[in-house]
Amino acid sequence: MSLLSYDRMRAEIAGQTELLRSLIKNADMKTPVPTCPGWSLGQLLRHVGEVHRWMETVVATRSVDPVSDERINDLDAYTDEVASELDPWLGEGAERLAQTLQGAEGPVWTPQGLDTPAFWARRALFETVLHRADAAFALGAGFEVDDEVAAEGLEEWLGFSCVPEAYEGHGLLGPGRALSFNGEWLVDLGGDAPAWRRGQGDASVAVRGPVSELLLFVYRRPAPQVEISGDSALLERWLERSGFWLEEEDG
């Protein structure tokens, strides 16, 4: 069960976008984004806005088939963005998505098969949160996110780590293998398939830190307060495979 309600996730999409918009006032859109190699700040913001519009199309049309996402990562043309134009455009896309999600019912297409619009509410929220972090890092600004929101994002990631594409044929599973995050979440790799749950348990590797940094850590963003003890090689392999879907998006 999600930690955040559907309506909270809808509201956070707009709220996180507003926080992102507040970062870019008077910012140079050509600023490189180190955590998204090859992208400028303007391209990052264009990506976020296009993601919101793409997800809104999926939900608004109640599509049960994949919807073209070529505009999301095809950013070569967006090298001369203007902050004063991107700012309201970002807000409009986020608000439209949040409104479309209100009262929406499934099933709709998702990369994991048919699901409810809640999948897209959650995915849009963390697409926005993580790219807000990217913008903050690029601009040398601080980044904070509510612990409850960060925990929801971590649990989304743990769920992705349990789909067959993440583990089949990659040597992740084995007797006694498990990962612990803050002693609050456990990923069991000892069975025929990974399974995660809230709670404690014996683990091969323990990862500890503020929950906001745990979220950044799994997404390979700077997380200086995170500490690791145990089988770091297993953790690295798990991180690589649980992020398989990010590689597919980039491709």
Side-chain angles (χ1 to χ4, degrees), residues 26-212:
N26 303 314
D28 182 355
M29 294 294 100
K30 294 186 181 296
T31 301
V33 182
T35 48
C36 296
W39 284 4
S40 67
L41 182 59
Q43 288 170 315
L44 174 76
L45 299 174
R46 181 64 66 172
H47 169 79
V48 173
E50 292 292 358
V51 165
H52 288 165
R53 285 160 172 79
W54 173 65
M55 293 180 179
E56 194 272 339
T57 297
V58 174
V59 177
T61 61
R62 303 297 192 272
S63 179
V64 295
D65 296 307
V67 174
S68 174
D69 62 354
E70 62 181 340
R71 291 175 62 90
I72 291 175
N73 291 314
D74 185 9
L75 303 172
D76 290 345
Y78 300 110
T79 56
D80 295 303
E81 296 297 286
V82 179
S84 61
E85 296 175 359
L86 277 176
D87 179 25
W89 180 80
L90 280 170
E92 290 163 7
E95 286 292 343
R96 192 166 70 192
L97 173 58
Q99 287 297 320
T100 297
L101 286 165
Q102 185 174 14
E105 297 180 356
V108 295
W109 172 82
T110 80
Q112 297 180 355
L114 295 181
D115 205 335
T116 70
F119 174 95
W120 291 114
R122 194 188 209 191
R123 187 81 294 278
L125 169 55
F126 293 105
E127 184 79 10
T128 310
V129 168
L130 266 295
H131 286 319
R132 178 167 72 83
D134 292 327
F137 295 143
L139 295 170
F143 172 78
E144 295 181 355
V145 64
D146 179 83
D147 281 353
E148 193 173 28
V149 172
E152 180 74 34
L154 180 61
E155 292 194 354
E156 181 193 42
W157 182 278
L158 298 182
F160 288 152
S161 79
C162 295
V163 303
E165 294 93 330
Y167 66 87
E168 286 185 341
H170 294 282
L172 274 174
L173 305 178
R177 292 181 181 176
L179 298 85
S180 172
F181 292 87
N182 278 359
E184 298 179 45
W185 295 273
L186 189 76
V187 181
D188 183 357
L189 300 174
D192 294 332
W196 77 270
R197 61 177 172 83
R198 296 170 189 158
Q200 301 180 354
D202 294 335
S204 314
V205 57
V207 186
R208 293 190 173 276
V211 66
S212 59

Side-chain angles (χ1 to χ4, degrees), residues 6 42 50 248:
Y6 182 65
E50 292 292 358
E248 292 181 356

